[in-house]
Amino acid sequence: MSATQNSLSHLQALEAESIEIFREVASSFERPVMMYSIGKDSSVLLHLARKAFYPSKIPFPLLHVDTTWKFKEMISFRDRMAEQYGFDLLVHTNQEGKEQNINPFDHGSARYTDIMKTVALRQALNAGQYDAAIGGARRDEEKSRAKERIFSHRNAQHAWDPKNQRPELWRVFNTRLAPGESMRVFPLSNWTELDIWTYIYSEGIEIPPLYLSKKRPVVERSGTLIMVDDERLPLNEGEVPREEMVRFRTLGCYPLTGAIRSEAATLPEIIMEMNASTTSEREGRLIDSDQAGSMEKKKQEGYF
Amino acid sequence: MTIQENIQKNNALDVDSWLGQQTNKSLLRFLTCGSVDDGKSTLIGRLLYDSQLILDDQLAALQKESHNRTTGDEGIDFSLLVDGLTAEREQGITIDVAYRFFTTNKRKFIVADTPGHEQYTRNMATGASNADVAIVLIDARKGLLTQTRRHSFILSLIGVKHVVVVVNKIDLVDYDKETFDRIDAEYREFAGQLGFKSLVTIPISALKGDNIVHKSEAMDWYRGPQLVPYLEEIDVTEDKTDKPFRFPVQWVNRASLDFRGFSGTVAGGSIKPGDEVLVAASRKPAKISRIVTMDGDLDEAIAGQAVTLVLDREIDISRGDVLSAPGTVPEYSNQFQAKLVWMNEERAMSGRSYLIKVGTQLVPATITNIKYKTNVNNLEQSATKCLDLNEVGTVTIATDKPIAFDPYAENGATGGFILIDRLSNATLAAGTVEFGLRRAQNLTYQDFDVNRKTRSEMKGQTPKIVWFTGLSGSGKSTVANLLEKRIAAEGKHTYILDGDNVRHGLNKDLGFTDEDRVENIRRIAEVAKLMADAGLIVLVSFISPFKNERKLAREVAGDIEFIEAYVNTPLEVCAERDPKGLYARAKKGEIKNFTGIDSPFEAPENADITLNAAERDPADLANELYDLMFEGHQYRAL
């Protein structure tokens, strides 16, 4: 985005801040990696990373932790992006978990998330010996995230110590680490959900089509619409998938991601609909509502 | 009217123009600060609630959580919205800064809600460092407290120029005008010395909503602005483009053999293709040939923009270099005066080596002098040798090599810095440069024709430093003495620097406090280096209790071979031996700050050699050490 006057608009300021963070990571760490989860925030993150290093290619790999339960459309989108922009894509699945067929139905969402996401992430970070992992989390998403630094220190066990964070002054980031420690870095910390959408719109960033409404097969379970993305979703007795106009506000594992009924099939329609919305984005994610403080607890254990 | 209302009422509103309006809104970053229990979190909760940014699911969760707590008229404890950590909700306090976001038709806001407890002042400073405006809360019943003053002082130090004082809980003093006037006058008197550009005082009730968005009906006597409208209108644009051009190089972009660009964020002024720039360190000039971004080349880049600059010629530039306008270059020096907010339990000491990060430059640095600390209550200055957690002081700093900087008042991006602990990597302090001390430019290293190599060859030996560390009575001097006899017997030139002996002369002005111990070791490290430079084999026998200073000694030695020998004799054995009777006296309290008794010894974790002097014969240890030094053996534990 180019400046038109002698000061920057809020989106220009946010963009510049994120680019600066990306460059600081590339300059300060030996083995950075960027978490790529395929959603809208990851799409913005990818776009900003390309801008930060243009005309060079992104100087670190992108890592996708594949739980094997992602929407099919997410995987095809991921592979197409990697080809289009020529970034180095790494995909990791917890093979032990896969062999034991760990799934959200038989093992519950908490255990499944722990094994296929948190443990898988730790495995991938350890195997790659990454000293910095860039993520797309935003401070407006959840209360414990609102407290996290942009450069967020992790000990050798990947744990976060929320009561003892390093002070973070101006944009002078302390990137120093002891052996085995690592940093989680969040370039989108100061972006809101609305900023993400308006930026996607004004920059013409491609996002997975699941965000746009169309007829999809869904079943309704305790008030949540679950899309029948493949034949692995066990149907309860008498349960028949119906075609409904639905879209997703957030993308994750399809059995754990609630769809919303919507007619918004274009980006402007989504933004308008979101503005009229009275519920927060993470409501569609089933893993956060287990208990108060649950995200903080997961993060202490190494979840992103 | 909030955006939500606006959208709901105008469904037909043109999406493009609405998005255009969104995209072009300005951004205001502010923080809330003040003493604990003055209602900061409640105020932010109120701002979000009144902006209708609290969504149904959040409200439901909030009402559930508010159940066991003291609440306002709405049955909601607003502070629960912002206190995000479990410990915070349990204790009902704010520990760390929380960031919140809201938007009105006029502006986007990023709010840093900062903690009020003195213990968490560093987190308040974190929130202040990126803020344009500060809201200082004062409880109408309590008036100005120590934390009100401390926070205001830190605001001025960090450079927040615009302050809104809100006198909260005004409903609890029956909306009393005199109470408000008294607090207003008291604050203005204190703030007079702090150099804020604008200051307003507003009486509010965060719990009830008085003077937040709308004029309070309970206070006819109040004629000033309401909080939200004031924040929407306040002009904080400080024309950064008007300043001299500064561009700290962050990352060198080598996209191909033909492309070499310098990526970074413009930290001051503006730049166009064709403009001349100067590298601050090397004073080498070049012209800008392109300003590259993924959206295409730019005709101009201004302060705050992240771009990649391409120059018209090949000059040596790397991360840490600062490109600047030729007529107005930054200071380039290795000494400056600065203010520090100390943020760690480990106190600041002059003489100790830290890392300093200014912009993209990271170099070792030493606090050479702590001139004074400032009392946050009355702003009085007093002499001190150290700075404790949350203290604010004025110091001089020397960096190991010259760096480019500006006074903080002239450019925050090139004049603000952090100090980092070299062992724990903790961020120890926030600092702001006051002015450069030009000593570095007058003082250069003199090159002489007779150098270390010549002097060593004349002596037929390679200079070395063996640094013995260990408790008093551990056997350092005994082993050092035997080792020196053996080396001298071979016709080599040596010298022993002994703790006790040096304290009679060079260091007789130093005592045994932590600060003096640091300075003691710093001097010895320098003396040892000079002696090794003269070609000598130097044996240093000093307790040297702190890891940091032993690390410093090794660094001072530079490329001179440095052997850290840890004489590891247990405290009980040393106290039992007690050759000078010192342990007995220390235990009786006759000697203060005695290592091992009431002053710490930080045992080396990676000494080159560990001498088990409790069980081994000192002569054997000296002989084996000799073999290791001169026979090229690997160092190991003896």
Side-chain angles (χ1 to χ4, degrees), chain A residues 1 10 20 24 27 51 54 56 143 146-147 149 165 168 170 173-174 195 201 275 278 280 296, chain B residues 16 18-19 22 56-57 80 86 88 96 99 108 123 126 129 250 253 295 319 357 408 425 427:
Chain A
M1 307 193 119
H10 84 274
E20 184 173 346
E24 200 63 10
S27 305
K51 283 196 166 193
Y54 176 88
S56 292
K143 279 197 282 194
K147 298 255 164 179
R149 301 286 187 254
Q165 299 194 80
E168 194 164 79
W170 305 287
F173 301 109
N174 179 353
D195 295 330
Y201 180 73
N275 260 309
T278 56
S280 71
E296 181 183 346
Chain B
D16 274 325
W18 182 81
L19 280 168
Q22 287 305 303
D56 289 355
D57 55 329
L80 287 173
T86 309
E88 293 179 324
D96 215 324
Y99 295 90
K108 304 270 303 191
N123 297 330
T126 290
S129 69
Q250 208 185 358
N253 193 329
D295 302 317
R319 174 177 164 89
K357 191 172 183 191
Y408 186 77
N425 294 318
T427 304

Side-chain angles (χ1 to χ4, degrees), chain B residues 373-580:
Chain B
K373 61 180 174 187
T374 304
N375 180 322
V376 297
N377 251 322
N378 51 21
L379 306 182
E380 275 172 15
Q381 299 164 354
S382 59
T384 182
K385 281 190 157 182
C386 56
L387 292 176
D388 282 314
L389 178 67
N390 297 324
E391 287 191 329
V392 175
T394 298
V395 302
T396 53
I397 288 181
T399 53
D400 277 18
K401 57 172 207 155
I403 52 170
F405 58 84
D406 289 295
Y408 186 77
E410 285 169 29
N411 192 325
T414 48
F417 63 88
I418 57 171
L419 291 181
I420 301 171
D421 188 274
R422 308 195 60 174
L423 293 170
S424 71
N425 294 318
T427 304
L428 299 174
T432 56
V433 175
E434 293 198 309
F435 47 83
L437 299 165
R438 294 180 169 274
R439 265 170 251 170
Q441 278 145 346
N442 311 332
L443 203 70
T444 54
Y445 285 101
Q446 191 71 45
D447 278 330
F448 293 103
D449 293 335
V450 177
N451 55 25
R452 190 199 309 156
K453 188 163 172 287
T454 332
R455 292 186 287 259
S456 310
E457 282 167 1
M458 283 167 68
K459 294 184 180 66
Q461 62 185 34
T462 310
K464 300 175 199 298
I465 298 171
V466 184
W467 191 284
F468 291 94
T469 172
L471 294 166
S472 175
S474 59
K476 296 183 298 297
S477 298
T478 311
V479 178
N481 182 40
L482 291 164
L483 178 63
E484 185 177 37
K485 279 209 277 194
R486 170 84 195 272
I487 301 171
E490 303 288 333
K492 292 190 163 63
H493 302 262
T494 60
Y495 195 87
I496 291 190
L497 286 165
D498 178 80
D500 288 349
N501 295 352
V502 174
R503 277 188 178 276
H504 286 303
L506 175 63
N507 288 357
K508 71 178 170 192
D509 58 326
L510 300 176
F512 291 89
T513 60
D514 286 358
E515 302 77 57
D516 282 0
R517 284 173 188 276
V518 169
E519 175 60 13
N520 187 34
I521 300 303
R522 188 192 69 78
R523 289 186 197 171
I524 295 317
E526 294 287 353
V527 171
K529 181 199 170 180
L530 291 175
M531 289 186 155
D533 209 43
L536 295 176
I537 293 164
V538 189
L539 311 181
V540 181
S541 170
F542 268 68
I543 298 172
S544 32
F546 304 133
K547 282 183 197 169
N548 246 315
E549 280 62 54
R550 294 193 299 263
K551 195 172 174 197
L552 171 81
R554 186 186 292 273
E555 281 163 8
V556 167
D559 56 355
I560 298 163
E561 187 181 346
F562 185 97
I563 302 148
E564 183 177 325
Y566 173 32
V567 184
N568 183 7
T569 308
L571 179 64
E572 311 80 65
V573 179
C574 296
E576 176 74 33
R577 287 178 181 169
D578 204 7
K580 300 168 199 160

Side-chain angles (χ1 to χ4, degrees), chain A residues 127-198:
Chain A
Q129 293 181 307
Y130 301 113
D131 51 359
I134 300 164
R138 306 188 318 267
R139 284 171 172 159
D140 76 327
E141 281 179 71
E142 191 270 339
K143 279 197 282 194
S144 73
R145 284 197 167 152
K147 298 255 164 179
E148 193 159 6
R149 301 286 187 254
I150 294 174
F151 282 70
S152 185
H153 182 260
R154 293 293 188 277
N155 67 14
Q157 285 71 48
H158 302 290
W160 181 49
D161 181 4
K163 280 193 258 181
N164 199 18
Q165 299 194 80
R166 288 177 181 174
E168 194 164 79
L169 281 300
W170 305 287
R171 295 212 207 142
V172 187
F173 301 109
N174 179 353
T175 56
R176 308 277 299 175
L177 296 172
E181 296 177 345
S182 61
M183 202 71 85
R184 301 279 166 93
V185 186
F186 304 106
L188 303 180
S189 287
N190 288 325
W191 296 58
T192 64
E193 188 182 13
L194 182 60
D195 295 330
I196 293 288
W197 283 116
T198 45

Side-chain angles (χ1 to χ4, degrees), chain A residues 11-210:
Chain A
L11 275 185
Q12 288 168 334
L14 289 173
E15 180 191 69
E17 178 182 86
S18 301
I19 288 175
E20 184 173 346
I21 293 163
F22 269 114
R23 289 170 173 169
E24 200 63 10
V25 173
S27 305
S28 309
F29 295 93
E30 301 279 327
R31 294 179 62 82
V33 67
M34 180 174 126
M35 308 307 300
Y36 182 61
S37 61
I38 316 171
K40 64 184 193 307
D41 301 297
S42 274
S43 297
V44 168
L45 208 56
L46 171 60
H47 187 75
L48 290 166
R50 289 172 53 229
K51 283 196 166 193
F53 304 109
Y54 176 88
S56 292
K57 283 191 174 172
I58 299 172
F60 40 74
L62 275 64
L63 171 67
H64 178 227
V65 173
D66 190 348
T67 59
T68 73
W69 290 92
K70 300 293 174 190
F71 291 93
K72 286 195 296 280
E73 278 185 53
M74 287 171 71
I75 302 300
S76 57
F77 182 84
R78 175 194 76 191
D79 295 341
R80 192 159 58 74
M81 288 296 117
E83 201 184 313
Q84 192 166 325
Y85 297 123
F87 57 80
D88 182 8
L89 174 70
L90 307 171
V91 178
H92 178 80
T93 300
N94 181 349
Q95 287 304 327
E96 253 170 64
K98 193 178 169 188
E99 276 154 28
Q100 292 168 23
N101 190 28
I102 302 292
N103 64 68
F105 313 109
D106 302 328
H107 304 93
S109 76
R111 179 132 183 266
Y112 159 78
T113 307
D114 182 53
I115 295 173
M116 297 309 283
K117 284 176 96 167
T118 312
V119 173
L121 175 65
R122 274 206 300 263
Q123 286 173 344
L125 293 179
N126 285 337
Q129 293 181 307
Y130 301 113
D131 51 359
I134 300 164
R138 306 188 318 267
R139 284 171 172 159
D140 76 327
E141 281 179 71
E142 191 270 339
K143 279 197 282 194
S144 73
R145 284 197 167 152
K147 298 255 164 179
E148 193 159 6
R149 301 286 187 254
I150 294 174
F151 282 70
S152 185
H153 182 260
R154 293 293 188 277
N155 67 14
Q157 285 71 48
H158 302 290
W160 181 49
D161 181 4
K163 280 193 258 181
N164 199 18
Q165 299 194 80
R166 288 177 181 174
E168 194 164 79
L169 281 300
W170 305 287
R171 295 212 207 142
V172 187
F173 301 109
N174 179 353
T175 56
R176 308 277 299 175
L177 296 172
E181 296 177 345
S182 61
M183 202 71 85
R184 301 279 166 93
V185 186
F186 304 106
L188 303 180
S189 287
N190 288 325
W191 296 58
T192 64
E193 188 182 13
L194 182 60
D195 295 330
I196 293 288
W197 283 116
T198 45
Y199 188 71
I200 286 172
Y201 180 73
S202 62
E203 293 279 297
I205 298 169
E206 199 176 347
I207 50 167
L210 290 158

